[in-house]
Amino acid sequence: MKTYLLPSLKLTAVLIIICSVLYPLLIAGIAKVAPGGGDGVTVSSHGRVVGYENIGQKFTEDKYFWGRPSAVDYNAAGSAGSNKGPSNPDYLATVQARIDTFLVHNPGIKKEQISADLVTASGSGLDPDISIQAAKVQVPRIAKIRNRNEQELYALIDKVKEAPLFGFLGPEKVNVLKLNIELNVK
Amino acid sequence: MNTELIGVVAMFTLTVLLAIPLGKYIAKVYVGEKTILDFLAPVERFIFRICGIDSTKEMNWKQHMIALLSINMLWFVYAFIMLLTQGSLFLNPDGNPSMTPDLSFNTAISFLVNCNLQHYSGETGLTYLTQLIVITFLQFVSAATGIAALVVVFNAMRDKVTDKLGNFFDIFTKTVTRILLPISIVLAVILVFNGSPASFEGKDTITTLQGDTVQVSRGPAAGMIAIKHLGTNGGGWFGANSAHPLENPNYLTNMVEMIAQVLIPIAMIFALGFYLRKKRLAWTIFGVMTVGMLTFLIPTMIAEINGNPAITQMGIDQNAGSMEGKEVRFGTPASAYWSIVTTIISTGSVNSMHDSSMPVSGTMQLLGMMTNAFYGGCGVGILNYYIFIIIAVFISGLMVGRTPEFLGRKIEAREMKIASIIALLHPLLILAGTALSSWTIVNHPDAAWAVKPANWLNNPGYHGFSEMLYEYTSSAANNGSGFEGLGDNNIFWNITTGIVLILSRFLPIIGPVAIAGILAKKKFIPESAGTLRTDTGTFGIMTYAVIMILAALAFFPALTLGPLAEYFSLY
C-alpha cells in the first residue's frame, strides 16, 4: 500500500487542478458568449428585470395566469417537490382544496376542464410552464377582470406557447411568466 | 402524448447509435490503438512523470485492488476534511455553513463510491469551492475508478494465461483524459447554451412581475451537471436535481442528460465486444439488459400515463398523466423513462420526484436498483452482471451435466463462493438496514437526533415504509436517488447508509476482479463441441432468469409491505 500512496497523492493533486479548476474555468469562459453569459437568462418587462426565463414565479392575483402549486413557494433560493405519495390522505385533501379554490376563482368552469398540472406541485417547485389546457381554462377569468376579448387572449396563448422540440419531440407548453408579460403589454 | 412517446423512442435510439462508435473508441483507447485524441499523449506522459508513476509496469489483480483502495482512501480523507471546514474557506458567496461531522462522513463516502446520495440541498449545503473541488472531482474519479476496475476484468478475460493485467494508474488516468473530460466539455457547452449557469456569481435577488421578492441560486453548475450524468453519479447541483429548471432547462437538455447518463454503460458493453473480439457476447449482454430495462419501463410508463386513480375520482382532466412531482416541459413519458433508466444504471439523478410516483412505478424503480445489473453504473454495471454470468454458467452446467466454463476457464468452488457472497450481500444490506430503521421508528420514536425517528417519514402507512426501503436500496445499489420525503439528515441515516455505501461499493468491485484474476491464471481450454456457449439467446434467457429469480426471492416480501400494499389500497 505504501508504494502507491505517494503517487496517488500527487495524481490526486494534478487531477484536482484539471477537473476542478481548469475545466470549470473553461466552461465559465465559454459561457460568456452564451445567452445570459452563464449567469442565467433574465427577462424584462417595461424596462425592468422581472425574473429568469426558466424559473417559475408565483402568481396569485386573478388578473394573471397562474402557474403550478409549489412546495417552495417559488423562492428559487431552494428547490423541492412535495414528495407526497399518491395515496397520502392529507395530500389528496390538499389537491381537492386546490380544485375547490380554483372553481371559486373561475366561476363557470367545470372541473373536467381543470388540467391536473394546475393542482399538483411540480418536481422542482420552480416549474416555469403549464400545459396549454391549463392556460386556456383561465382565459374567461382574466378576460373578465381585464375587460378584454377572450379570443384575443386565446390568440395570445397561441403566440407564446412553445411547440414540441423540432416539432415532434416532447410536450407542448406555455411559459407562465412570458405569457403574463405579454398580457401586461397592452 | 404522441410527441412525448416519440421523444422517448428517440432518446433510446440515439443512445444506442452513439454508444456503438463510442464503445469502439473506448476499446481502442485501452488496447492502445490510434485514436483522434492521441495528441493528449504528451500531457499524460507529463502527468505520470511528475507523479512518479511508471505507467508501463503491469500489475496483477491484487496489486490493482491495493492501488485502487489506496487512492480511494486518500480521496475519502480529503473530501471529509474539506466538507467539514467549507464554511470558513473561500469561494462561498452565499455564506453557506460547514457540514456536521456525520453529514460530511455520509457525503464524502456517497460521492467517493459514485452513489451521490444527498442528505443536503446543494443551494444551502455546499459552497462553490466544495461543489468543484470535492463533488465535481469525485464525480470524475469515482467513474474512472469503476471503469478502470472493469478494464482489469477485460484484460483478465483475454485468451492467454497471465497475471499481468495492465497498470491501474495508466488505465485510470486515460479514462479521465480520453473519455470523461472530452465528452463532459461537449455536454457542458450544450448546457450553457441552453441556459444552465456556469459563472461564479452568488444568489441573485429579484422582484417578480407580481411584486414579490425572491432569490435565485446559481453558480458554476454546467460542468458539474455534465460529469454528474456522464459518470453515472447523479448528485445534483441544486436540491431538485435535474427537475430544476436551471439544471435541466428544456426538452433538448433533458434528452442530452438522459443520453449522457446511459451512454458509457451501454458503450462499455460494446467496448467489451471490440476489446475481446467477441461481438456476439456483447450483443447477447446488451439484449438481456435491454429486455431487463423494458421489463421495468413498460409498467412504469402505463402507470404514469394513466395518472393517479385517486385524482381521477376528483373529476379533473388528467390526460397528461400523473403530474405530481413532475415538470410540464418533460411530461410523464420522459419522466417515467428517466426514472427507470436512472435506477437501473445507478445514476440516481431525477427529473421528477420518485416519492410521488405511482406505486407500480415505485416498485419498478426499486427493482431496477435491487437487480442492479441492467446496463449499470460506469464499469460496475458489467462487474455486477459478471457475477450473474458466473452463477448462470454454474447453474446451467449443473442442469446439462457439463463442467461450468466461461470464456475457456473452468468455474470452480472458490469462484462460486465469491460470486454467491457478492450476490447475497446486496439483499442483506438492504433488508437489514430497512429492518433496523423500522425497529428504531417503533421502539425509539423520540430519540434525540437532528430529526426524531417519529418525524422521519413524509407519508403515512405503506408509503412511509417504502421511503425507508428505497433509501437503503438506493445506498446498496450506489444509486443515489431517493424517496426524498425521508428526513435523512441525522446521525442514524448518515452513519448507517454511509456504512452500506462503502460495503456495497468496494466488495462488488473486489469480488468480480478477484474471480477474473483467478480465472486468468487457470489453464485455457479452447472451445469444443462440449462447451456451453455463453453468447447465445438461450444463455441470455438463463442469465435473465437468474437475475430476476434472485431479486424476487430476496425482495418480494419487502415489496409486499411497501409499494405493492399501496397499490392495492389505491386501485
Side-chain angles (χ1 to χ4, degrees):
Chain A
M1 185 162 275
K2 241 168 57 192
T3 26
Y4 301 122
L5 275 183
L6 192 61
S8 295
L9 196 64
K10 289 180 183 167
L11 187 58
T12 300
V14 172
L15 288 180
I16 289 173
I17 293 170
I18 294 175
C19 300
S20 303
V21 180
L22 299 179
Y23 166 64
L25 286 177
L26 171 73
I27 303 303
I30 294 172
K32 291 279 172 219
V33 298
D39 295 334
V41 185
T42 53
V43 280
S44 301
S45 170
H46 299 294
R48 175 173 82 85
V49 172
V50 291
Y52 284 78
E53 184 182 64
N54 290 325
I55 303 280
Q57 299 190 352
K58 184 166 72 170
F59 290 102
T60 46
E61 295 172 18
D62 281 346
K63 63 175 182 173
Y64 285 120
F65 285 97
W66 298 345
R68 304 184 60 192
S70 161
V72 294
D73 209 22
Y74 282 108
N75 186 355
S79 57
S82 73
N83 287 313
K84 295 295 183 194
S87 64
N88 186 330
D90 293 344
Y91 158 67
L92 294 171
T94 308
V95 174
Q96 186 62 56
R98 287 177 188 145
I99 296 172
D100 296 340
T101 309
F102 190 87
L103 290 173
V104 169
H105 285 262
N106 295 271
I109 295 296
K110 288 198 271 307
K111 58 185 178 183
E112 306 87 90
Q113 293 173 278
I114 304 175
S115 177
D117 52 315
L118 276 176
V119 293
T120 52
S122 61
S124 60
L126 307 170
D127 196 341
D129 305 306
I130 51 176
S131 62
I132 310 300
Q133 171 59 17
K136 283 185 176 165
V137 72
Q138 305 187 50
V139 163
R141 179 191 80 225
I142 295 165
K144 197 168 163 220
I145 288 188
R146 295 200 175 226
N147 229 339
R148 287 171 71 167
N149 183 334
E150 287 188 14
Q151 290 316 316
E152 190 192 334
L153 295 187
Y154 289 125
L156 195 67
I157 295 173
D158 276 339
K159 184 182 148 199
V160 178
K161 79 175 179 192
E162 293 162 49
L165 179 64
F166 308 129
F168 68 98
L169 299 170
E172 212 180 21
K173 61 194 191 302
V174 56
N175 183 304
V176 183
L177 177 58
K178 286 183 188 167
L179 187 59
N180 282 329
I181 288 173
E182 285 291 320
L183 201 56
N184 274 355
V185 165
K186 194 178 155 188
Chain B
M1 194 55 83
N2 276 339
T3 54
E4 301 186 44
L5 293 173
I6 294 171
V8 171
V9 175
M11 276 187 264
F12 183 73
T13 313
L14 274 172
T15 309
V16 179
L17 289 180
L18 289 168
I20 296 173
L22 180 64
K24 193 163 197 172
Y25 167 79
I26 290 175
K28 281 184 177 173
V29 167
Y30 297 122
V31 173
E33 282 177 25
K34 267 212 319 226
T35 65
I36 50 163
L37 291 182
D38 279 345
F39 64 89
L40 289 171
V43 179
E44 288 152 0
R45 277 201 298 274
F46 176 71
I47 294 175
F48 292 137
R49 199 167 64 237
I50 56 172
C51 297
I53 291 167
D54 177 2
S55 64
T56 57
K57 198 173 154 196
E58 302 239 7
M59 300 176 175
N60 63 30
W61 75 264
K62 282 182 189 157
Q63 289 166 323
H64 269 287
M65 288 299 96
I66 295 169
L68 183 150
L69 292 173
S70 307
I71 198 165
N72 270 268
M73 199 179 66
L74 278 181
W75 296 334
F76 169 69
V77 175
Y78 158 75
F80 180 72
I81 294 171
M82 295 307 296
L83 294 171
L84 204 57
T85 54
Q86 61 176 9
S88 33
L89 299 172
F90 54 100
L91 258 183
N92 184 9
D94 297 340
N96 290 340
S98 296
M99 282 190 176
T100 57
D102 55 309
L103 183 58
S104 305
F105 172 79
N106 188 279
T107 307
I109 291 175
S110 164
F111 282 85
L112 177 76
V113 305
N114 201 255
C115 174
N116 298 202
L117 203 62
Q118 294 171 294
H119 290 177
Y120 62 88
S121 274
E123 292 95 336
T124 50
L126 291 169
T127 68
Y128 289 177
L129 182 74
T130 45
Q131 288 270 28
L132 295 177
I133 69 166
V134 175
I135 303 300
T136 307
F137 168 72
L138 288 178
Q139 289 180 329
F140 273 102
V141 295
S142 65
T145 300
I147 295 174
L150 178 61
V151 174
V152 176
V153 172
F154 282 2
N155 284 337
M157 283 200 247
R158 286 173 303 188
D159 289 352
K160 57 180 180 193
V161 179
T162 180
D163 63 350
K164 291 193 167 49
L165 304 174
N167 180 284
F168 175 78
F169 295 109
D170 183 49
I171 301 170
F172 166 79
T173 308
K174 279 185 182 155
T175 307
V176 175
T177 55
R178 300 289 179 102
I179 299 168
L180 298 178
L181 202 52
I183 304 178
S184 292
I185 292 172
V186 174
L187 296 173
V189 169
I190 297 175
L191 285 167
V192 293
F193 277 90
N194 281 281
S196 285
S199 78
F200 289 80
E201 297 289 328
K203 275 195 183 78
D204 193 10
T205 303
I206 47 168
T207 306
T208 66
L209 190 62
Q210 192 182 270
D212 304 311
T213 303
V214 295
Q215 291 185 306
V216 177
S217 283
R218 301 179 291 179
M224 185 266 209
I225 301 167
I227 184 61
K228 136 193 170 193
H229 284 116
L230 187 68
T232 63
N233 294 285
W237 183 275
F238 301 102
N241 209 298
S242 281
H244 195 291
L246 292 180
E247 190 143 346
N248 193 357
N250 54 42
Y251 202 80
L252 177 70
T253 58
N254 189 64
M255 290 184 74
V256 168
E257 292 180 20
M258 182 74 260
I259 292 170
Q261 61 179 298
V262 68
L263 186 59
I264 288 185
I266 296 185
M268 287 313 286
I269 307 171
F270 295 116
L272 177 146
F274 292 117
Y275 196 80
L276 302 174
R277 299 213 169 80
K278 293 193 191 310
K279 285 189 194 164
R280 256 188 81 105
L281 179 65
W283 279 101
T284 309
I285 297 175
F286 174 74
V288 175
M289 291 183 167
T290 303
V291 171
M293 188 220 13
L294 292 173
T295 312
F296 300 145
L297 177 63
I298 292 167
T300 305
M301 281 282 210
I302 294 172
E304 294 300 323
I305 289 172
N306 282 331
N308 186 343
I311 291 181
T312 307
Q313 275 180 7
M314 296 176 192
I316 61 168
D317 165 16
Q318 222 184 170
N319 284 332
S322 161
M323 286 306 289
E324 182 71 33
K326 295 195 181 61
E327 301 280 301
V328 169
R329 64 190 179 284
F330 310 139
T332 34
S335 302
Y337 177 62
W338 183 303
S339 81
I340 291 305
V341 171
T342 198
T343 42
I344 59 173
I345 63 172
S346 99
T347 303
S349 66
V350 296
N351 75 348
S352 69
M353 293 301 132
H354 292 187
D355 214 347
S356 300
S357 300
M358 291 299 105
V360 172
S361 320
T363 311
M364 296 301 142
Q365 291 154 8
L366 280 163
L367 277 170
M369 299 184 288
M370 286 164 171
T371 50
N372 204 20
F374 300 130
Y375 305 143
C378 273
V380 294
I382 299 181
L383 291 181
N384 289 335
Y385 190 84
Y386 181 73
I387 293 287
F388 290 113
I389 289 183
I390 299 291
I391 297 175
V393 163
F394 188 76
I395 295 176
S396 317
L398 289 182
M399 284 165 71
V400 297
R402 286 178 191 166
T403 327
E405 282 169 22
F406 180 55
L407 300 183
R409 263 89 174 193
K410 260 191 211 156
I411 311 281
E412 289 169 300
R414 195 163 162 215
E415 295 82 69
M416 262 316 286
K417 277 183 201 156
I418 300 174
S420 308
I421 290 170
I422 300 301
L424 292 175
L425 175 77
H426 189 57
L428 174 75
L429 292 173
I430 293 169
L431 298 176
T434 311
L436 179 66
S437 64
S438 306
W439 181 85
T440 308
I441 283 196
V442 173
N443 290 290
H444 300 281
D446 295 315
W449 295 325
V451 185
K452 282 199 307 188
N455 300 333
W456 280 350
L457 307 179
N458 191 43
N459 290 283
Y462 311 122
H463 196 89
F465 177 80
S466 304
E467 288 180 339
M468 295 188 285
L469 179 64
Y470 197 105
E471 187 73 4
Y472 283 108
T473 309
S474 174
S475 306
N478 284 183
N479 183 275
S481 64
F483 273 12
E484 289 298 341
L486 184 74
D488 48 20
N489 184 12
N490 59 75
I491 195 159
F492 177 89
W493 288 98
N494 285 334
I495 301 291
T496 57
T497 55
I499 293 167
V500 169
L501 285 168
I502 296 185
L503 294 175
S504 58
R505 165 72 166 183
F506 293 107
L507 296 180
I509 285 182
I510 297 170
V513 171
I515 296 177
I518 295 167
L519 291 183
K521 282 199 288 186
K522 289 191 184 178
K523 202 175 75 177
F524 182 78
I525 315 154
E527 236 173 63
S528 68
T531 311
L532 178 86
R533 298 275 300 269
T534 49
D535 56 0
T536 59
T538 318
F539 185 75
I541 293 168
M542 188 68 197
T543 318
Y544 178 86
V546 165
I547 294 171
M548 288 302 190
I549 291 170
L550 279 177
L553 288 174
F555 296 113
F556 184 71
L559 289 171
T560 310
L561 293 174
L564 293 179
E566 188 184 16
Y567 173 86
F568 288 110
S569 73
L570 196 56
Y571 285 84

